[in-house]
Amino acid sequence: MDEIKTHFGELLENKDWKALKRELHLLEPLQVAEILENVSKTDQLVLFRLLPRQSAKDTFQILSHDEQEDIITGLASHTNIITGLLNDLDPDDRTAFFEELPGKVVQQLVQLLAKEEREIAIRLLGYPEESIGRLMTPEYVAIKPYDTVQEALNHIRKFGRDSETLNVIYVVDNQWKLIDDIRIKEIILASPQQIISDITDNRFVALNAYDDQEIAVKVFKDQDRVALPVVDGDGTLLGIVTVDDVMDVAEEESTEDFQKFGGTEGLDLSYTKTPLLELVRKRAGWLTILFFGEMLTASAMGFFQKEIEKAVVLALFVPLLISSGGNSGSQAASLIIRSLALNELHLKNWWYVMKKEILSGLLLGASLAAFGFLRIFIWQQAGFYDYGEYWIWVSLTVSMSLIFIVLWGTLSGSMIPFVLKKIGLDPATASAPFVATLVDVTGLVIYFSIAATFLSGKLL
């Protein structure tokens, strides 16, 4: 592929348009897309205009939204090219592209569509955002239950060329209500004189056009299908959703959850397309909340000021203790949030998780406590640092604090996602910074409370 890119770079530099056009005709859309990704925006437009119509359509659908928008913007003065491209795009891909554009731009582009394509675009854009209706395409093949297999095959040959997929053929009644879906293999292997209703079992899985797109992701995972029919509340077949569109949704959802878990709101556009002020706004909310949360940490330190003045040595271990608690909480939160997203865990499993995390927290805390005790012992005996005559009690204080702080961090990180899901919020908002901040504040209280117990009458 590197040789191909170099070759096209030379042709572009030499402005050998005839050779470029000839070479582009020989490439697959995926190869063309990779070349477009590695050239300047100006060269992108040049190459795109040289593509044959079908190749331009297939290549455009593979490109990222940012690259698609750059091409549409760059071709603004070539209305005929944009019109042909938008009309040729599959309805579901066109809808996904329109969704990312400002409303005024969409209105202008919709007007460039042919009447039939404009009606399809308006209908698909009329479904709620994030609904399955926005994903579906009306390009499928449907047959009637009273057709013979031969009649069905003739119908498929006539209309199948424009279908999104021919893996599955849909059976509908005269009112266009979905009766069944049949794999093309079953039709091909059946006798030509056999009636379609003889090879149907009236068992099928369908998506509702108004359901959330996350439902489609789950159903596709469960059913292992390349396409699924989409119906309305009355069971009327509206279109189909293919696995490639659902994979895009799954990637977007994962990206949004990842951004939330990092302590920011989900970005509506890619990082490179998000304006600076919008990026700041998306990040400022959580940072402000976390800032006020960390102020409680300072308040906790102030509350135990007298203890710190009497035993300055206690302050040495504050970063160690609160970071250990925050880390354990972040680990637990990430595991539970991912399991909830994959439906490995449900709300009813909270008690199972709590019991498991109590044991995990105790074992993890005990391991760190042993290392903490050993560290103080070695430093004291080797003369690296003098913790005073009560060093053994200081080490016990740190060790016991590690056990309880790590246990509390693990429990907090594992239970907060359940609480958020119970009240209807996205568990991903139980971000790592949020859990860490919570454990910071409570960890200090645990640490100094244990210190007061162990060191009372000694250092305190």
Side-chain angles (χ1 to χ4, degrees), residues 417-433:
F418 281 103
V419 173
L420 291 174
K421 188 168 185 178
K422 178 66 175 178
I423 62 179
L425 297 177
D426 187 349
T429 54
S431 62

Side-chain angles (χ1 to χ4, degrees), residues 362-378:
L362 286 172
L363 290 173
L364 290 169
S367 300
L368 295 181
F371 284 119
F373 185 92
L374 189 61
R375 192 266 191 193
I376 296 175
F377 174 79
I378 293 174

Side-chain angles (χ1 to χ4, degrees), residues 140-155:
Y140 58 89
V141 176
I143 55 179
K144 298 298 171 58
Y146 47 76
D147 289 341
T148 65
V149 168
Q150 186 60 56
E151 289 172 336
L153 287 172
N154 292 339
H155 182 78

Side-chain angles (χ1 to χ4, degrees), residues 143-153 169-172 180 182 187 190 193-201:
I143 55 179
K144 298 298 171 58
Y146 47 76
D147 289 341
T148 65
V149 168
Q150 186 60 56
E151 289 172 336
L153 287 172
I169 308 300
Y170 302 93
V171 184
V172 296
D180 204 354
I182 309 175
I187 298 177
Q193 289 75 39
Q194 198 169 1
I195 304 299
I196 291 297
S197 59
D198 293 340
I199 59 176
T200 60
D201 58 10

Side-chain angles (χ1 to χ4, degrees), residues 24-144:
L24 285 170
H25 282 225
L26 301 176
L27 297 180
E28 294 295 323
L30 183 59
Q31 293 175 305
V32 178
E34 290 182 6
I35 292 173
L36 292 178
E37 290 172 357
N38 290 276
V39 297
S40 66
K41 291 183 180 180
T42 303
D43 289 339
Q44 277 185 349
L45 297 176
V46 172
L47 292 175
F48 198 82
R49 291 184 62 188
L50 293 174
L51 289 172
R53 185 165 178 170
Q54 182 63 38
S55 181
K57 166 203 165 182
D58 295 337
T59 302
F60 189 83
Q61 292 177 166
I62 296 172
L63 297 174
S64 68
H65 176 267
D66 292 348
E67 291 166 334
Q68 290 176 340
E69 190 174 347
D70 288 339
I71 287 175
I72 292 294
T73 303
L75 296 175
S77 59
H78 302 277
T79 308
N80 59 325
I81 299 178
I82 298 177
T83 300
L85 177 63
L86 293 177
N87 279 292
D88 287 342
L89 284 177
D90 294 336
D92 54 335
D93 292 316
R94 186 172 56 217
T95 302
F97 175 59
F98 282 169
E99 279 186 317
E100 301 293 334
L101 298 175
K104 289 184 178 180
V105 177
V106 174
Q107 290 176 2
Q108 294 171 359
L109 294 179
V110 166
Q111 297 307 312
L112 298 177
L113 298 174
K115 181 180 179 182
E116 183 180 350
E117 295 297 327
R118 189 186 310 132
E119 290 175 354
I120 293 172
I122 292 173
R123 178 161 60 83
L124 292 180
L125 288 169
Y127 288 103
E129 288 188 25
E130 309 296 329
S131 70
I132 292 172
R134 294 288 188 99
L135 288 179
M136 70 179 182
T137 175
E139 295 180 351
Y140 58 89
V141 176
I143 55 179
K144 298 298 171 58

Side-chain angles (χ1 to χ4, degrees), residues 177-188:
K177 289 192 176 181
L178 183 61
I179 297 174
D180 204 354
D181 55 6
I182 309 175
R183 295 183 184 275
I184 189 68
K185 175 183 177 182
E186 298 177 41
I187 298 177
I188 294 174

Side-chain angles (χ1 to χ4, degrees), residues 214-248:
E214 288 188 8
I215 294 177
V217 176
K218 182 180 184 303
V219 174
F220 266 89
K221 287 180 180 177
D222 294 341
Q223 299 298 322
D224 192 25
R225 301 288 290 273
V226 296
L228 283 173
V230 181
V231 299
D232 62 12
D234 296 326
T236 302
L237 181 61
L238 301 174
I240 64 172
V241 171
T242 54
V243 68
D244 58 324
D245 295 317
V246 172
M247 287 175 64
D248 291 339

